Amino acid sequence: MSQPQQRQGSSRDYVYDIVKKNILSLKLEPGTMISEKEISDKLEVSRTPTREAFIKLAEEDLIVIYPQKGSFISLIDIDQVEEARFVRENMEVAVLKIACETFTERDVVEMEALLAEQRIYSGHNNYEKMHELDELFHETIFNKCHKQRTWSVIQQMLAHYKRFRNLLLAVYFDWETIIAQHTRIVESIRLRDPIMAEQELRQHVKSRFEKAELLEKYPNYFKKTEASSSITLS
């Protein structure tokens, strides 16, 4: 399990941040048991903040705690993935319209700098960094439109979505296409064209992938569901 280089904030937040990061990145695999004692020993903190962190993660449906049995990383729920994608797509379309009206030339240049950084890391096959930069691209648009709280609210329901996306990109990664889509989104903002922006964003998030292969390859990662045989990604 990866750890940040230095501890910041309370011990509970320290444990929470590390465990959550490892769950979302799938370094802690869905369905596996997770021990308070092992985490406490590894991170060199007491059991109390670790227990508090586990409770917080359970509230976010990332850990399932069974009394007398133990704690387990939650399985990925496809229904939650699709609902989170729906909310993010429609909120981001609304924010892009604001960006087309309010972005300055400096804002556009800063977005282009993010694109340049994405191209650099794409060439080095640094997938973890690319995931980070992909998220930063979308977050920056929200921040520049003064919708930071909206972004924070959306993040609260993206846990299952992010795990599915990370698993999907590990199997079907196509960063060239993703960067090209980001580039067209920035161009639509530069042209102050909200119709183009919406079209590009919806195309970006509706790149479709059959999930059957993932379900077949990682059957123990997913909660049993009646969801459809395809899913979308942004």
Side-chain angles (χ1 to χ4, degrees):
M1 185 174 70
S2 63
Q3 304 178 33
Q5 292 182 346
Q6 58 183 9
R7 182 181 308 189
Q8 296 180 345
S10 70
S11 294
R12 185 204 68 171
D13 291 341
Y14 172 69
V15 175
Y16 167 84
D17 289 340
I18 294 175
V19 175
K20 183 173 182 177
K21 178 180 179 181
N22 282 273
I23 292 174
L24 295 181
S25 68
L26 301 170
K27 290 178 181 176
L28 288 172
E29 299 179 357
T32 58
M33 189 172 187
I34 181 169
S35 164
E36 285 185 14
K37 183 179 186 306
E38 290 181 4
I39 296 297
S40 297
D41 292 345
K42 186 174 184 63
L43 300 183
E44 300 180 344
V45 298
S46 68
R47 293 286 292 274
T48 297
T50 301
R51 185 175 303 110
E52 292 173 348
F54 274 38
I55 291 172
K56 187 175 180 181
L57 290 163
E59 290 172 350
E60 296 182 13
D61 198 26
L62 287 173
I63 286 179
V64 181
I65 301 174
Y66 296 103
Q68 312 304 321
K69 186 176 180 181
S71 300
F72 297 81
I73 307 302
S74 67
L75 298 175
I76 299 173
D77 187 326
I78 291 297
D79 290 337
Q80 289 195 41
V81 172
E82 179 56 30
E83 184 173 358
R85 181 213 58 77
F86 172 82
V87 171
R88 177 169 175 174
E89 175 185 342
N90 285 283
M91 292 306 301
E92 194 154 359
V93 165
V95 170
L96 270 179
K97 291 180 180 179
I98 298 173
C100 288
E101 296 171 357
T102 63
F103 265 40
T104 65
E105 183 62 26
R106 179 175 179 177
D107 291 329
V108 173
V109 169
E110 290 179 9
M111 295 304 300
E112 289 176 336
L114 289 177
L115 292 174
E117 191 172 3
Q118 289 180 5
R119 295 186 187 101
I120 291 172
Y121 281 98
S122 176
H124 288 83
N125 293 325
N126 188 331
Y127 304 127
E128 186 170 349
K129 183 65 175 181
M130 280 299 299
H131 285 305
E132 178 184 325
L133 291 173
D134 176 52
E135 194 79 353
L136 179 61
F137 175 86
H138 294 277
E139 181 181 5
T140 299
I141 295 175
F142 276 75
N143 289 343
K144 287 184 176 295
C145 291
H146 305 289
K147 299 299 180 186
Q148 296 94 328
R149 286 189 292 273
T150 302
W151 176 263
S152 296
V153 170
I154 294 172
Q155 296 309 298
Q156 294 174 15
M157 61 183 301
L158 290 184
H160 290 263
Y161 172 88
K162 287 183 177 181
R163 288 194 291 168
F164 183 89
R165 184 190 65 173
N166 289 340
L167 183 61
L168 194 58
L169 288 174
V171 177
Y172 300 110
F173 64 89
D174 184 358
W175 289 114
E176 289 186 7
T177 296
I178 291 173
I179 292 172
Q181 292 170 338
H182 285 173
T183 300
R184 291 193 293 271
I185 289 171
V186 172
E187 181 62 16
S188 70
I189 295 173
R190 180 192 292 279
L191 296 174
R192 300 194 181 281
D193 187 339
I195 296 177
M196 177 183 173
E198 178 174 352
Q199 290 174 340
E200 293 296 344
L201 190 280
R202 291 196 187 278
Q203 180 62 39
H204 180 52
V205 302
K206 288 183 177 177
S207 300
R208 300 191 68 83
F209 297 85
E210 292 297 320
K211 73 170 184 289
E213 185 175 342
L214 283 183
L215 292 171
E216 181 178 352
K217 188 172 183 179
Y218 304 99
N220 296 328
Y221 280 14
F222 293 92
K223 181 179 179 180
K224 302 303 180 184
T225 177
E226 298 297 325
S228 62
S229 61
S230 61
I231 197 71
T232 52
L233 169 71
S234 71

